[in-house]
Amino acid sequence: MTPEEKFDAAIDSAMNDRRDLIGFLENQTDAQAGWEPPDGEWSIAQGVEHILLTDDFARKILVETLETAQKTGNWNNAPDNPQKLTSDQLRRREQGPVPAPEQLHPVEGRPLSEMIPLLMPAREETNKALAPYRKRVLERLNPPATRYGNLNIYDRMNYMGIHDALHKEQMERVTQASGFPAAG
């Protein structure tokens, strides 16, 4: 695959996951989304706020990594044998539970109806910020390592969508919890 094809595949995957998340959220009312499950999981609205915070954070890290590579000319900072989880492993949650860093915890308590319209523009903003690097070979350029291992730029772009999918699964569990309010 060419760098452009790899870039586009990662973006397409993240966009598809975002569209799927929005489709799910559009079926939830503000009251349902604000309902907090008794087991301590985040409400749907808290999950969406976390996703929006994470979008900004991830975009910042990716752009910083790409700008540093551009300035230094070093597009290869990956270890020789990077340890990482594959996209399939990440989708299956093989990394186990991953607590969100404190700065990515929801705090504003905004209604879902105000946040849904922000989701697609946030993803599009990331795409726009990364697009100038579309023709670059990015598989040996790693942002700072995470619990998921040494993911390269393409992996991280793809993971942004996986992050949406994992939170959608959590939100679906919330809708099945005892006491979840009916629509209406």
Side-chain angles (χ1 to χ4, degrees):
M1 258 203 262
T2 67
E4 293 93 338
E5 291 169 331
K6 289 177 185 177
F7 187 95
D8 292 347
I11 291 292
D12 288 347
S13 177
M15 292 299 284
N16 287 337
D17 284 319
R18 180 57 51 100
R19 281 188 283 275
D20 188 48
L21 173 66
I22 291 170
F24 166 78
L25 294 171
E26 288 174 336
N27 293 316
Q28 309 303 315
T29 66
D30 283 337
Q32 288 172 316
W35 181 79
E36 294 187 30
D39 63 2
E41 282 201 270
W42 284 343
S43 70
I44 292 170
Q46 288 170 322
V48 174
E49 184 180 342
H50 163 73
I51 287 168
L52 288 167
L53 291 168
T54 301
D55 277 357
D56 289 342
F57 179 78
R59 180 176 44 256
K60 179 179 175 244
I61 296 297
L62 288 169
V63 168
E64 286 174 0
T65 301
L66 290 161
E67 287 176 347
T68 298
Q70 184 75 45
K71 286 177 191 166
T72 64
N74 181 9
W75 295 90
N76 180 358
N77 68 352
D80 288 334
N81 295 305
Q83 298 295 311
K84 66 180 181 180
L85 294 171
T86 67
S87 292
D88 288 339
Q89 289 172 316
L90 290 168
R91 280 195 190 272
R92 290 190 306 265
R93 292 185 181 264
E94 289 185 22
Q95 71 274 17
V98 179
E102 194 66 34
Q103 75 267 24
L104 301 180
H105 282 217
V107 293
E108 291 188 32
R110 292 182 282 178
L112 179 64
S113 59
E114 290 179 14
M115 292 187 289
I116 290 174
L118 304 175
L119 287 165
M120 195 54 77
R123 183 57 42 86
E124 290 167 350
E125 186 177 337
T126 299
N127 298 349
K128 183 180 175 184
L130 303 179
Y133 304 95
R134 184 174 173 264
K135 294 182 180 185
R136 298 288 322 199
V137 175
L138 302 173
E139 60 222 342
R140 297 281 307 158
L141 183 61
N142 291 5
T146 66
R147 174 144 187 203
Y148 317 116
N150 293 293
L151 303 180
N152 65 38
I153 296 288
Y154 302 124
D155 296 330
R156 287 287 185 92
M157 291 165 60
N158 192 35
Y159 184 73
M160 291 177 78
I162 293 170
H163 182 254
D164 287 357
L166 296 177
H167 278 286
K168 179 182 166 240
E169 287 176 11
Q170 182 269 329
M171 292 172 194
E172 288 171 333
R173 282 195 310 274
V174 168
T175 68
Q176 301 304 308
S178 177
F180 184 75

